[in-house]
């Protein structure tokens, strides 16, 4: 069996950027774009509509267009792309072993860019109106909600941050909290409470996202104490109830933090296993942007290149 120099797992901005850099350094990377784990090839950008904040594209472009460009650029430098999921890894042997459902691969180094996925509410209408009012990223989509009333769901730091950010555009932001207190840090709580455009509905859960068939128009909510239901009109619903890193297959194989994100060194992309690197949202629950993911994907390729040449 051939031994690959470098296998990259994941096809979001981090994976493809790692591939572009590694391929141009003549490492002949093999990239697994994934089929079903963690969403789909292309990662979370496949779920967004317009991307206006990726530098270099002054007119903006759609998430899927952007990922098609990333892929094309990786292929231009002879990245071999495999349309399959890695389902099992053995990082305790050298070369490392990576398995798909029905094939085994060996590699001298690996870059993990499997990303994360937003946790959704799982209520009726939520999926239908994704990209048509329903979003999980205020930084990405907030701009499209100028002068509209917006609902944010969640009680953590993400929900507070998203709500505050959204007040730049929205006429009003209502935060729905399922308990009678917030989980967010005190400073973030204070910032939201002090913001005149933000109000809270406590003990409140979304039961259904309502719409006119094309766009969402509001939500049906329930007070989980009184069991009273009502409808709330809004042009947007931002779900901020956490993210889940796609790291299940790495449990016990490399160090993960308590939330399941891969732990890397300070200012580099080295994991706890020498020769295994990680970039993108799988190492980052704070910034979560295409451009930051691309940045750490680039770092991972440079780290891998350095590692491989030190072993020659
Ligand atoms: P968290 O897990 O901290 O908070 C999730 C929130 O969503 C909780 O309030 C939780 O409620 C609520 N929730 C979960 N499921 C549901 C549901 N089905 N319906 C309604 N509400 C629900 O996630 P975050 O994304 O907010 O933060 C993740 C990490 O990132 C944290 O460590 C946070 O501190 C950090 N972060 C830091 C920032 C900063 O410092 N600037 C910005 C953003 C994130 P409950 O409280 O009842 O469990």
């Amino acid at each position: 069996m051939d031994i690959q120099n470098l296998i990259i797992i994941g096809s979001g901005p981090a994976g493809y950027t790692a591939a572009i850099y590694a391929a141009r350094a003549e490492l002949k990377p093999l990239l697994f774009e994934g089929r079903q784990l963690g969403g789909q090839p292309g990662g979370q950008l496949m779920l967004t509509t317009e991307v206006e904040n990726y530098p270099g594209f002054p007119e903006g472009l759609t998430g899927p267009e952007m990922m098609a460009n990333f892929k094309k650029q990786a292929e231009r430098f002879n990245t071999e792309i495999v349309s399959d999921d890695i389902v099992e890894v053995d990082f305790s042997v050298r070369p490392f072993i990576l398995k798909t459902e029905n094939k085994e691969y060996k590699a001298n180094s690996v870059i993990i860019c499997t990303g994360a996925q937003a946790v959704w509410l799982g209520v009726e209408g939520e999926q239908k109106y994704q990209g048509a009012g329903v979003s999980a990223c205020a930084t990405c989509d907030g701009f499209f909600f100028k002068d509209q009333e917006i609902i944010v769901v969640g009680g953590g730091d993400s929900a507070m941050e998203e709500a505050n950010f959204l007040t730049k555009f929205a006429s009003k932001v209502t935060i729905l909290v399922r308990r009678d207190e917030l989980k967010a840090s005190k400073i973030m709580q204070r910032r939201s409470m002090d913001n005149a455009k933000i109000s809270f509905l406590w003990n409140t859960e979304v039961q259904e996202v309502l719409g006119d068939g094309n766009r969402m128009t509001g939500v049906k909510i329930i007070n989980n104490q009184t069991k009273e239901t009502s409808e709330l009109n809004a042009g947007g619903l931002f779900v901020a109830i956490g993210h889940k890193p796609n790291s299940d297959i790495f449990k016990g194989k490399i160090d993960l933090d308590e939330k399941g994100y891969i732990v890397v060194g300070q200012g580099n992309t080295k994991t706890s296993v020498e020769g295994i690197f990680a970039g993108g949202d799988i190492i980052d629950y704070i910034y979560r942007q295409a451009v930051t993911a691309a940045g750490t994907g680039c770092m991972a390729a440079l780290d891998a290149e350095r590692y491989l040449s030190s072993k020659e």
Side-chain angles (χ1 to χ4, degrees):
M1 187 200 308
D2 287 350
I3 299 175
Q4 307 292 330
N5 251 334
L6 170 65
I7 285 183
I8 298 168
I9 315 173
S11 57
Y16 279 133
T17 304
I20 292 163
Y21 273 77
R24 292 189 77 253
E26 303 196 324
L27 296 179
K28 299 192 176 64
L30 187 65
L31 180 145
F32 285 84
E33 69 172 355
R35 270 194 319 198
Q36 36 188 303
L37 298 178
Q40 65 266 293
Q44 294 178 85
L45 275 181
M46 299 302 281
L47 299 176
T48 56
T49 43
E50 222 38 45
V51 181
E52 293 183 331
N53 54 8
Y54 200 92
F57 296 90
E59 310 299 331
L61 72 179
T62 69
E65 270 170 357
M66 180 165 207
M67 291 327 298
N69 283 348
F70 269 86
K71 183 173 183 176
K72 214 159 124 193
Q73 195 169 350
E75 282 173 329
R76 180 178 153 209
F77 299 109
N78 297 324
T79 301
E80 194 182 332
I81 296 173
V82 185
S83 185
D84 211 344
D85 285 317
I86 295 295
V87 295
E88 197 185 329
V89 295
D90 185 349
F91 292 160
S92 68
V93 293
R94 311 251 163 179
F96 304 118
I97 296 174
L98 297 91
K99 293 178 187 168
T100 63
E101 228 27 279
N102 40 34
K103 207 169 162 195
E104 188 174 297
Y105 294 82
K106 290 188 173 174
N108 291 322
S109 65
V110 176
I111 296 178
I112 302 169
C113 301
T114 47
Q117 32 187 328
V119 179
W120 296 97
L121 296 166
V123 298
E124 209 180 313
E126 183 183 47
Q127 218 178 349
K128 180 172 176 184
Y129 292 111
Q130 250 173 51
V134 178
S135 169
C137 177
T139 320
C140 319
D141 300 329
F143 186 75
F144 305 115
F145 293 87
K146 271 190 186 143
D147 302 322
Q148 297 191 37
E149 294 194 9
I150 297 180
I151 294 166
V152 172
V153 183
D157 282 335
S158 293
M160 299 309 113
E161 193 170 68
E162 302 245 318
N164 275 290
F165 180 76
L166 288 166
T167 58
K168 289 183 205 292
F169 317 102
S171 55
K172 182 182 173 201
V173 176
T174 306
I175 304 180
L176 307 186
V177 185
R178 67 175 173 185
R179 291 188 292 139
D180 61 1
E181 60 178 3
L182 297 170
K183 182 179 174 188
S185 55
K186 287 281 174 282
I187 180 163
M188 300 290 278
Q189 293 197 20
R190 180 58 39 221
R191 210 168 285 161
S192 310
M193 307 254 179
D194 288 348
N195 190 321
K197 276 192 180 176
I198 296 180
S199 59
F200 289 85
L201 282 179
W202 305 97
N203 300 311
T204 302
E205 293 174 42
V206 174
Q207 279 192 318
E208 188 183 342
V209 179
L210 308 168
D212 61 10
N214 291 317
R215 283 199 69 81
M216 77 160 267
T217 53
V219 291
K220 187 174 166 198
I221 53 174
I222 182 165
N223 180 307
N224 56 29
Q225 300 300 303
T226 63
K227 305 294 175 208
E228 203 177 306
T229 60
S230 54
E231 287 184 9
L232 209 56
N233 291 334
L237 171 72
F238 284 79
V239 180
I241 59 173
H243 281 76
K244 182 187 175 307
N246 299 317
S247 62
D248 289 354
I249 61 167
F250 307 115
K251 270 186 198 138
K253 313 288 171 96
I254 47 173
D255 286 356
L256 306 178
D257 69 13
E258 71 282 358
K259 298 187 188 83
Y261 288 83
I262 294 175
V263 177
V264 291
Q266 185 78 38
N268 63 62
T269 63
K270 296 176 187 169
T271 70
S272 57
V273 177
E274 199 190 6
I276 310 279
F277 306 88
D281 283 11
I282 192 71
I283 64 167
D284 167 29
Y285 58 78
I286 295 176
Y287 302 104
R288 299 195 295 245
Q289 299 302 300
V291 69
T292 50
T296 51
C298 160
M299 287 165 64
L302 297 178
D303 287 343
E305 186 189 349
R306 230 163 268 150
Y307 166 77
L308 288 168
S309 55
S310 76
K311 294 287 162 195
E312 263 167 17

